[in-house]
Amino acid sequence: MKTYATIIYLVIGCFFIPPPSKILAQCAKYEPPDGNILLVIGQDFNATGKSIYGAGYCDDASLGVTAPAGVTTYAGTGLGVGQGITSMVDYGGGPLYANLYALTPYYNNSVIVMGLYMVNDLGNITSGSKNAELDAIGNWIKSVSPRPVYLRIGYEFDYQYGCCAAQYVLAWQYIVNRFRTTLNVTNVAYVWQAASGAGTPAFLLQWYPGDSYVDWMAYSHFYNNSGTQSAGILNLARSKRKPVMIAESTPYGYRLEQSAAATSAWTNYFAPLFSHINNNTDVIKALCYINQDWDAQSLWAGQGWGNSKIQSNGNGTIKANWIAEVTKPNWLQGTPSLFGLLQNSNTQQPFGGTARSIPGTIQSEDFDTGCEGVSYHDNSFGNSGGSVYRYGYSVDMGATADVSGGNDVGWTATGEWMEYTVNIAASGLYDFSFRVSTINSGNTFHIEQDGVNVSGTIAVPNTGSWTTYTNVTTNNISLTAGIRMLRIYFDNTAGFNINYFTVNSPLPLVFIDFNAEEMGKGVFLSWITS
């Protein structure tokens, strides 16, 4: 955990009875703020709508969104230069034309999620013979900046590339290196997508290109048991600190325009899907729903996929329940603020938007927003205290037993810290008082301003109980006026709770005597204060 601003670096520990923990903020490329989820619709223009290609999800005003947070589309190294990108193509699965989204004002605030098909082309990619196709895709992505693009390179790797994991990894790395170095594409997040997300880490990691090459992890969700199957990729994402996208989701085998099928689909697919997301919002940060009449498409007809169009369900069950879910405030839509939100979610800012005032009292749990390693550092995954006050952050906090109520930061460990952006009214000496409790002896921490230790070692006494609090005071700490960063840094910590800390105003200077004497070409000043 950590905090900045006049950032006070605190490292603190406390012990509560730990409930299930949550993973820390990931802060990957274009990751939504903690607790928020991107709603993405796809996977072709017949599915999304608002174009010359047919009516889709976005043409139904009753769904209650101006535009989804994103739309999905596809490209391929074997389709020809620019096919599906700067010109329309339809191979039986619906019209694909990525640039039409960029040209359609309705989608001005929607991100693009693009699947890159490269089956049978792995060797051609690494040899450089597919550079023209890759460059057309990369240059188009760059042309729509600052719109974020999520690129699913060789999606469903464990389904489509079972023959050749090593070649898949090399092709992935080649593409990312070319986009980064040769083309200088910066508005892209690289998404590593499994089929179901099942399997052990050793199995999945056969296809893993490496931490520096992967921004997001992903999997497909077509069946009722996908929540169980996805356990492998979710656990791997947690261990790698990567956010997760449900990159392809649809209720396989249901025709939603039929009343009985719609009721069954909600009970057996949609309700478990949303429950699965809600139970894993520490890592699941995007849902891409395929809104399509599969049976009407020549590529999929006869394979039993059905009709997954939300707006076509016969008895209204799907649409009503869907609206109730995706219009909750944690679901992100295509609003004018979306791109900035995604681009700045890992930027350190004062919690609540305003720097804490000094003199004043600062709650320990109100450390700055931002990522692990940016606004805080915590040695362990998850929140051992179980508080949802800062949901998704890994700083350990829970309900305080102090008379003030609210939350404590606790379970502190050596080397952890938090930062707070503060506004110091005037330069001078300040007194700090920390409200703490612990059953341990030997806990120490210190305070930093803008990276400089200004307090020296502060010792925390054993209070005899986790519920017995005392004030630890350190006086005459020199602070500089203005917007500053304070960090609370835990030096040697067996664990203690910290509820809040108070910073008192500098003592007023009272002059007892003041003298000025001429000394050659200068003036000698002397004074005595109280």
Side-chain angles (χ1 to χ4, degrees), residues 252-382:
Y252 178 84
Y254 295 94
R255 292 204 58 85
L256 299 187
E257 81 279 10
Q258 300 173 1
S259 178
T263 300
S264 178
W266 185 265
T267 300
N268 296 309
Y269 177 81
F270 287 98
L273 169 64
F274 284 111
S275 177
H276 172 63
I277 293 170
N278 291 333
N279 289 333
N280 293 280
T281 52
D282 57 316
V283 285
I284 296 179
K285 300 297 182 73
L287 171 67
C288 304
Y289 183 76
I290 302 174
N291 186 71
Q292 185 54 270
D293 185 351
W294 299 79
D295 293 345
Q297 296 183 322
S298 60
L299 184 63
W300 307 108
Q303 298 184 32
W305 285 91
N307 174 15
S308 64
K309 285 195 170 186
I310 296 294
Q311 70 272 28
S312 66
N313 77 97
N315 61 10
T317 299
I318 300 294
K319 182 187 291 188
N321 291 342
W322 174 272
I323 292 170
E325 287 290 341
V326 302
T327 56
K328 291 177 180 177
N330 61 317
W331 285 88
L332 298 177
Q333 312 290 349
T335 61
S337 62
L338 178 62
F339 296 171
L341 187 68
L342 297 175
Q343 290 162 350
N344 297 314
S345 61
N346 63 348
T347 300
Q348 184 172 352
Q349 299 179 15
F351 177 65
T354 304
R356 268 51 190 170
S357 296
I358 287 181
T361 296
I362 300 174
Q363 297 295 325
S364 62
E365 65 271 21
D366 289 347
F367 55 91
D368 285 1
T369 61
C371 304
E372 155 66 29
V374 175
S375 63
Y376 72 93
H377 169 62
D378 194 278
N379 293 345
S380 61
F381 294 161

Side-chain angles (χ1 to χ4, degrees), residues 172-238:
W172 177 295
Q173 293 173 342
Y174 182 92
I175 292 169
V176 173
N177 287 335
R178 186 164 186 85
F179 279 25
R180 285 176 175 170
T181 305
T182 305
L183 303 179
N184 192 31
V185 183
T186 59
N187 60 312
V188 61
Y190 299 103
V191 182
W192 185 65
Q193 181 190 346
S196 68
T200 64
F203 171 75
L204 295 170
L205 287 172
Q206 296 176 81
W207 293 274
Y208 192 60
D211 292 346
S212 63
Y213 286 93
V214 172
D215 296 308
W216 287 60
M217 295 186 181
Y219 63 95
S220 300
H221 194 294
F222 300 138
Y223 308 101
N224 296 345
N225 63 349
S226 291
T228 302
Q229 290 182 2
S230 66
I233 203 77
L234 292 178
N235 289 334
L236 187 58
R238 289 183 171 103

Side-chain angles (χ1 to χ4, degrees), residues 80 87 106 153 213 226 239 262-263 351 375 421 499:
S87 61
Y106 181 82
I153 300 176
Y213 286 93
S226 291
S239 71
T263 300
F351 177 65
S375 63
T421 299
N499 185 1

Side-chain angles (χ1 to χ4, degrees), residues 61 67 104 117 121 199 239 276 302 339 348 360 402 408 484:
T104 304
Y117 184 84
D121 261 340
S239 71
H276 172 63
F339 296 171
Q348 184 172 352
D402 203 358
D408 282 344
R484 304 289 176 181

